[in-house]
């Protein structure tokens, strides 16, 4: 007698943008610059862990970028959930989008200098990148040993969201999606724009409509997926929707 093999039920995917970073607090463009969490950011990450634990959500594997603000957020979440033992994969393709020559500049002052409309284009348009970072600049990622294995074509001088999607999705398809298809419960701690890239893909959001999507820091966003890894609820579900809505509004106002 043979036993019929059943296809595993797709796993659950939870997205968390890192807690408030030092440059979030100072309203500076950050991108690939490696800055740490503020005390508020640490508290946001810890609260995210408590919120997930209270919701009885657990994880089998976690993914994050190679930037400390996302890494520390993940550590703090897993520590709160007593899940520090699960496998964790770091990858540069999960990094924030590169803001190029804007990195380190004050968002409001940049808007005053170049105009709010121009800064909105740089921040929110789908396919227009900000001014590029010169390779001689101290923030150019080619100077950082964590990117030593990358080819010159892979080192961004500036990225639009379209560029971020193109950089992010191969890793999602090759590493994260297979874990979900195995039925694993996945936690992804990343960045505002790398997560926007994934949400755009998951929900099929149009190029023009993605400009209006803001992802708040430290708020777990839960996606339950069907057999095709499409959301059963469009947009996913925040565990604290009212707080997430207020925090997303604050993100939208950062450039003002």
């Amino acid at each position: 007698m043979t036993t019929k093999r059943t296809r595993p039920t797709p796993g659950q995917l939870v997205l968390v943008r890192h807690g408030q970073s030092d440059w979030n607090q100072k309203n500076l463009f950050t991108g690939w610059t490696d800055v740490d969490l503020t005390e508020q950011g640490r508290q946001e990450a810890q609260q995210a862990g408590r919120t997930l634990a209270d919701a009885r959500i657990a994880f089998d594997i976690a993914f994050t970028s190679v930037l400390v603000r996302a890494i520390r957020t993940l550590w703090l979440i897993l520590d709160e959930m007593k899940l520090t033992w699960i496998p964790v994969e770091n990858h540069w393709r999960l990094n924030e989008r590169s803001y190029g020559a804007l990195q380190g500049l004050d968002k409001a002052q940049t808007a005053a200098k170049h105009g709010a409309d121009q800064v909105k284009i740089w921040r929110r348009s789908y396919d227009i990148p900000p001014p590029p970072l010169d390779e001689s600049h101290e923030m150019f990622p080619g100077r950082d040993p964590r990117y030593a294995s990358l080819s010159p074509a892979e080192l961004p001088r500036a990225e639009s969201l379209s560029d971020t999607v193109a950089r992010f999705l191969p890793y999602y398809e090759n590493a994260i999606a297979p874990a979900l298809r195995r039925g694993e419960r996945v936690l992804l701690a990343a960045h505002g724009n790398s997560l926007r890239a994934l949400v755009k893909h998951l929900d099929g959001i149009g190029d023009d409509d993605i400009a209006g999507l803001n992802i708040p820091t430290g708020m777990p966003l839960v996606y339950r997926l069907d057999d095709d890894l499409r959301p059963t609820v469009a947009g996913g579900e925040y565990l604290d929707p009212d707080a997430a809505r207020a925090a997303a509004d604050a993100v939208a106002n950062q450039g003002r």
Side-chain angles (χ1 to χ4, degrees), residues 22-241:
D22 182 55
W23 281 16
N24 290 148
Q25 183 184 57
K26 294 175 180 176
N27 204 30
L28 306 180
F29 288 101
T30 309
W32 279 37
T33 310
D34 201 21
V35 298
D36 210 337
L37 299 179
T38 61
E39 181 55 36
Q40 177 181 323
R42 292 169 183 258
Q43 292 174 6
E44 287 175 349
Q46 290 168 331
Q47 181 58 54
R50 290 191 289 269
T51 298
L52 288 162
D54 290 345
R56 299 184 182 279
I57 293 175
F59 299 104
D60 302 297
I61 190 170
F63 297 86
T64 190
S65 72
V66 296
L67 298 172
V68 68
R69 57 193 186 273
I71 295 169
R72 198 175 306 282
T73 295
L74 179 62
W75 288 351
L76 290 167
I77 289 172
L78 295 180
D79 189 47
E80 286 290 330
M81 300 183 73
K82 297 180 173 54
L83 288 176
T84 52
W85 53 270
I86 69 170
V88 173
E89 295 188 16
N90 300 77
H91 205 279
W92 65 272
R93 288 186 180 272
L94 305 183
N95 279 10
E96 177 61 289
R97 68 177 280 208
S98 169
Y99 274 106
L102 298 183
Q103 292 175 172
L105 301 183
D106 181 276
K107 293 177 182 177
Q109 291 178 1
T110 304
K113 179 178 180 180
H114 297 281
D117 290 343
Q118 179 61 67
V119 171
K120 184 177 181 180
I121 290 171
W122 286 332
R123 290 187 67 218
R124 310 304 295 183
S125 69
Y126 182 61
D127 55 7
I128 301 176
L133 190 66
D134 190 272
E135 292 184 11
S136 63
H137 197 284
E138 64 179 358
M139 293 183 187
F140 182 65
R143 294 170 168 265
D144 192 319
R146 80 191 80 186
Y147 308 118
S149 65
L150 273 60
S151 70
E154 291 172 320
L155 291 169
R157 296 180 61 199
E159 292 178 309
S160 64
L161 183 59
S162 173
D163 296 324
T164 309
V165 169
R167 181 243 296 167
F168 182 99
L169 286 185
Y171 185 78
Y172 171 76
E173 295 292 353
N174 293 328
I176 300 175
L180 292 167
R181 291 191 179 96
R182 292 192 297 268
E184 296 182 24
R185 299 162 296 179
V186 173
L187 172 60
L188 172 56
H191 306 265
N193 284 292
S194 55
L195 293 179
R196 287 175 72 225
L198 180 54
V199 168
K200 183 183 191 301
H201 171 73
L202 292 173
D203 288 311
I205 299 173
D207 295 354
D208 294 332
D209 294 334
I210 193 63
L213 177 68
N214 293 289
I215 297 180
T217 58
M219 299 280 180
L221 175 58
V222 181
Y223 275 94
R224 296 173 176 85
L225 305 169
D226 64 19
D227 288 347
D228 296 318
L229 299 189
R230 292 300 178 189
T232 58
V233 175
E237 300 171 278
Y238 282 104
L239 295 179
D240 189 343

